[in-house]
Amino acid sequence: MPTADCRLLHHGRIMRCLTYLFLLPETLKKSRKVSGLPGRLPVCSEILTLSLTSTKKKQKQQQEEEKMAAELYPAAGTDTTSLASGTTVEDKPGEVHLSPGSSVGNSAATTPTTQQNITNNNTEPPGSWQCSHPTLRERNALMFNNELMADVHFIVGPLGASQRVPAHKYVLAVGSSVFCAMFYGDLAEEEPEIHIPDVEPAAFLILLKYMYSDEIELEADTVLATLYAAKKYIVPALAKACVSFLETSLEARNACVLLSQSRLFEEPDLTQRCWEVIDAQAELALRSEGFCEIDLQTLEIILQRETLNAKEAVVFEAVVDWAAAECKRRGLAPSAQNRREVLGPALFLVRIPSMSLEEFANGAAQRDILTLEETRNLFLWYTAAHKPTLDFPLAPRTGLAPQRCHRFQSSAYRSNQWRYRGRCDSIQFAVDRRVFVAGLGLYGSSGGKAEYGVRIELKRQGATLAQNLTRFVSDGSSGTFPVWFEHPVQVEQDAFYTVSVVLDGSELSYFGQEGMTEVQCGGVTFQFQCSSDSTNGTGVQGGQIPELVFYS
């Protein structure tokens, strides 16, 4: 071996010996007595011997630590070598996960039940609600009325009937500008509970459900309260849905109440629909319980209505009933004096002079609402040549003008054709917008003046909506003669109705020809089709029931 290489090898051994020496504890650096001649090699051998001994002690100490760890954390499994080497243990429930370079000794802060994932991709376990609801809408819907993560609570409803509702500010702020200002505006609400005494709990929950899930569940009993909540918190889509619901459920019994609410909520389309029902079915609307629930201002507006299709005697009785209900609301006895007091000037909107004398004498004159002087002057107005001045409007209401849909292009008669024999003439019809069918126009006798007994009927899907048994007289002409239902009947769009008539009288009559399947009248399109109830020959092309009399 060359001399240079030997020197390098020798120096390398010396450096390794010095390195071991520096790493030894101070107590082991002291000189020891060794056998043999003093020299560097024995010293190196001693150092190496001590180094090997120290390494064995370290290994033994490490084994003891591993045994202790296995006793402390038995769930970690039997693979203790992986813990010792500083690698991550396989993910198992209840295991302690160690990152590279960690030791059991410095993991005391980590409990066995805590899961740690060094890759920072910890996910919810299978079966969690997030995993089972894949869409954002579904997950948001689960948060509706849920205490989970709720950061605000509402106390909704009046004192004594309130309900505590949890909610999430972000969801509410996204759905309503009012809630956005309430929670994130300059004057943001800091209280953990917010009191809302003027909204019904059921309506507030409907509002929140829409904001969380876009679902709208409306009911007749809560739709008005829901509309109020939607208007208050400026949720236009829900308000529109409420108005549509009210329009479809609108009828005489609730028209006056909805009129009052539509004015309050400033919904002109709903107001117009209410007036259509009230005008056409005025007597039914005025006799309904809902009429007694309206406010005084709405009462005055209705009494000023020129197109009310009602007798004034019915109007007067409805006003008296409203006054009794108002006395009860104010905690007053429903005496004649108190009724007059709560009515105030509204009483003088009733057109009493337009009643017949008989109607006045049997009704208004005996209700004690009028003073003796007013009653005397009204009787004189009816009977005296020189009529006194009255504080009541004199002209009768104009009411609504009925419209007639004629479905035949011509009429005819023959001496041996079309006889009334007590059989049923029937036809089906549908309209493209809501109308109110008031009666039918019928043909009369083709052999001169005659009187008929008649039964008319209106049905939908077999259910009778209205019927009337009455009489009419024909003068022998080919014209039609109206026969009325007791009250106009509300007919909805896009549904077929059946009208039927049975006549008893002179057998020979006029009949229609060249019938039309579709007729436009007064902005309304009527469609006609044959009815299986017809047993006397009436159909679309010819027969009886030439006219439908209606209001629109």
Side-chain angles (χ1 to χ4, degrees):
M1 178 180 294
T3 306
D5 292 340
C6 293
R7 291 178 180 178
L8 289 174
L9 179 61
H10 180 68
H11 286 299
R13 290 176 179 175
I14 295 175
M15 292 302 296
R16 284 198 295 272
C17 291
L18 291 175
T19 301
Y20 279 110
L21 179 63
F22 291 144
L23 292 175
L24 290 177
E26 292 295 328
T27 55
L28 295 179
K29 294 180 181 179
K30 296 179 180 179
S31 60
R32 293 185 180 183
K33 294 180 179 181
V34 294
S35 60
L37 297 173
R40 295 177 180 174
L41 184 58
V43 172
C44 291
S45 300
E46 182 181 4
I47 292 175
L48 289 173
T49 302
L50 291 174
S51 176
L52 291 174
T53 303
S54 176
T55 302
K56 290 181 179 179
K57 288 183 178 180
K58 287 183 178 180
Q59 291 177 350
K60 184 177 181 181
Q61 182 181 359
Q62 187 173 9
Q63 290 176 355
E64 291 177 355
E65 290 178 351
E66 292 171 359
K67 182 178 180 180
M68 184 181 297
E71 292 176 355
L72 289 174
Y73 307 108
T78 58
D79 189 8
T80 56
T81 57
S82 62
L83 288 173
S85 61
T87 60
T88 303
V89 198
E90 180 184 1
D91 290 345
K92 295 181 182 179
E95 289 183 351
V96 181
H97 296 184
L98 299 176
S99 58
S102 300
S103 66
V104 176
N106 61 15
S107 66
T110 305
T111 62
T113 58
T114 302
Q115 296 188 15
Q116 295 177 347
N117 192 322
I118 61 172
T119 58
N120 295 323
N121 62 352
N122 191 29
T123 59
E124 288 290 331
S128 65
W129 61 269
Q130 290 96 335
C131 297
S132 58
H133 296 80
T135 67
L136 177 62
R137 179 177 174 274
E138 291 176 333
R139 294 192 293 274
N140 268 352
L142 287 178
M143 294 295 100
F144 163 65
N145 201 19
N146 196 331
E147 289 286 353
L148 181 63
M149 295 183 284
D151 52 2
V152 67
H153 289 80
F154 296 92
I155 308 301
V156 187
L159 185 64
S162 60
Q163 181 176 339
R164 191 171 187 265
V165 179
H168 308 79
K169 293 181 179 180
Y170 170 75
V171 177
L172 270 59
V174 168
S176 164
S177 59
V178 175
F179 283 125
C180 184
M182 181 184 297
F183 298 134
Y184 301 105
D186 294 336
L187 301 176
E189 184 68 52
E190 299 294 340
E191 296 296 327
E193 290 186 349
I194 300 173
H195 291 260
I196 308 178
D198 59 330
V199 176
E200 293 183 10
F204 191 75
L205 288 174
I206 293 173
L207 172 71
L208 259 59
K209 185 168 186 177
Y210 169 72
M211 299 176 73
Y212 277 82
S213 65
D214 282 340
E215 295 180 8
I216 300 177
E217 296 181 358
L218 299 176
E219 298 179 0
D221 295 338
T222 58
V223 63
L224 282 175
T226 304
L227 177 58
Y228 173 77
K231 288 283 187 176
K232 177 176 181 177
Y233 293 104
I234 313 181
V235 184
L238 180 59
K240 184 177 180 180
C242 291
V243 171
S244 298
F245 182 92
L246 291 171
E247 288 180 352
T248 57
S249 61
L250 180 62
E251 54 188 27
R253 66 179 180 86
N254 60 13
C256 294
V257 173
L258 295 184
L259 174 68
S260 176
Q261 297 297 326
S262 66
R263 292 178 54 254
L264 175 65
F265 297 138
E266 297 181 351
E267 289 290 342
D269 292 340
L270 180 58
T271 300
Q272 179 59 33
R273 290 293 185 90
C274 290
W275 279 126
E276 291 176 3
V277 175
I278 294 171
D279 284 341
Q281 297 180 303
E283 293 190 0
L284 292 176
L286 295 176
R287 288 171 174 166
S288 68
E289 293 182 1
F291 178 77
C292 294
E293 299 174 6
I294 63 177
D295 58 280
L296 178 59
Q297 186 178 7
T298 303
L299 172 69
E300 293 175 341
I301 293 173
I302 292 176
L303 294 180
Q304 293 171 0
R305 189 76 170 175
E306 187 70 27
T307 50
L308 282 183
N309 198 32
K311 295 180 179 179
E312 206 65 29
V314 174
V315 176
F316 179 84
E317 292 299 325
V319 168
V320 174
D321 292 341
W322 180 90
E326 183 67 11
C327 286
K328 185 177 181 180
R329 286 190 287 268
R330 298 187 186 186
L332 303 173
S335 62
Q337 180 179 355
N338 287 340
R339 291 187 186 191
R340 175 155 184 145
E341 184 176 346
V342 297
L343 281 171
L347 177 62
F348 298 99
L349 298 175
V350 182
R351 306 184 183 192
I352 295 178
S354 66
M355 301 179 190
S356 67
L357 176 58
E358 183 179 2
E359 288 174 335
F360 173 72
N362 294 328
Q366 300 184 36
R367 298 291 283 176
D368 295 331
I369 296 293
L370 304 175
T371 64
L372 290 176
E373 182 179 0
E374 289 168 345
T375 303
R376 169 183 172 275
N377 287 340
L378 281 165
F379 272 119
L380 291 175
W381 190 90
Y382 282 111
T383 58
H386 299 284
K387 301 183 183 299
T389 301
L390 300 177
D391 294 327
F392 299 92
L394 303 179
R397 303 177 193 274
T398 59
L400 290 177
Q403 302 182 64
R404 300 190 178 206
C405 175
H406 200 91
R407 68 187 191 93
F408 294 129
Q409 298 182 63
S410 65
S411 61
Y413 81 93
R414 295 187 180 92
S415 59
N416 62 345
Q417 290 190 2
W418 213 278
R419 297 173 180 269
Y420 289 133
R421 299 173 180 174
R423 296 176 181 175
C424 179
D425 290 290
S426 183
I427 195 71
Q428 288 190 325
F429 73 95
V431 293
D432 65 346
R433 54 167 291 190
R434 175 186 290 148
V435 299
F436 302 89
V437 174
L440 306 177
L442 303 177
Y443 289 126
S445 170
S446 59
K449 185 177 181 179
E451 184 177 7
Y452 289 92
V454 58
R455 180 173 64 86
I456 59 175
E457 187 175 44
L458 176 62
K459 296 189 296 184
R460 179 182 181 183
Q461 297 179 342
T464 300
L465 303 179
Q467 61 181 359
N468 193 23
L469 183 62
T470 184
R471 306 188 71 84
F472 76 94
V473 176
S474 70
D475 58 7
S477 69
S478 62
T480 59
F481 303 91
V483 180
W484 307 92
F485 291 109
E486 184 178 1
H487 301 289
V489 182
Q490 181 171 306
V491 170
E492 300 295 341
Q493 65 183 32
D494 301 329
F496 273 94
Y497 294 76
T498 303
V499 286
S500 303
V501 56
V502 177
L503 291 105
D504 182 21
S506 177
E507 287 191 1
L508 291 175
S509 74
Y510 289 90
F511 60 93
Q513 294 180 318
E514 301 178 90
M516 296 173 286
T517 57
E518 184 173 296
V519 180
Q520 290 187 348
C521 180
V524 182
T525 300
F526 288 79
Q527 291 183 337
F528 295 96
Q529 68 181 27
C530 295
S531 169
S532 59
D533 293 344
S534 187
T535 59
N536 199 41
T538 291
V540 174
Q541 298 300 321
Q544 281 294 334
I545 316 179
E547 287 181 343
L548 297 178
V549 184
F550 68 98
Y551 302 111
S552 64

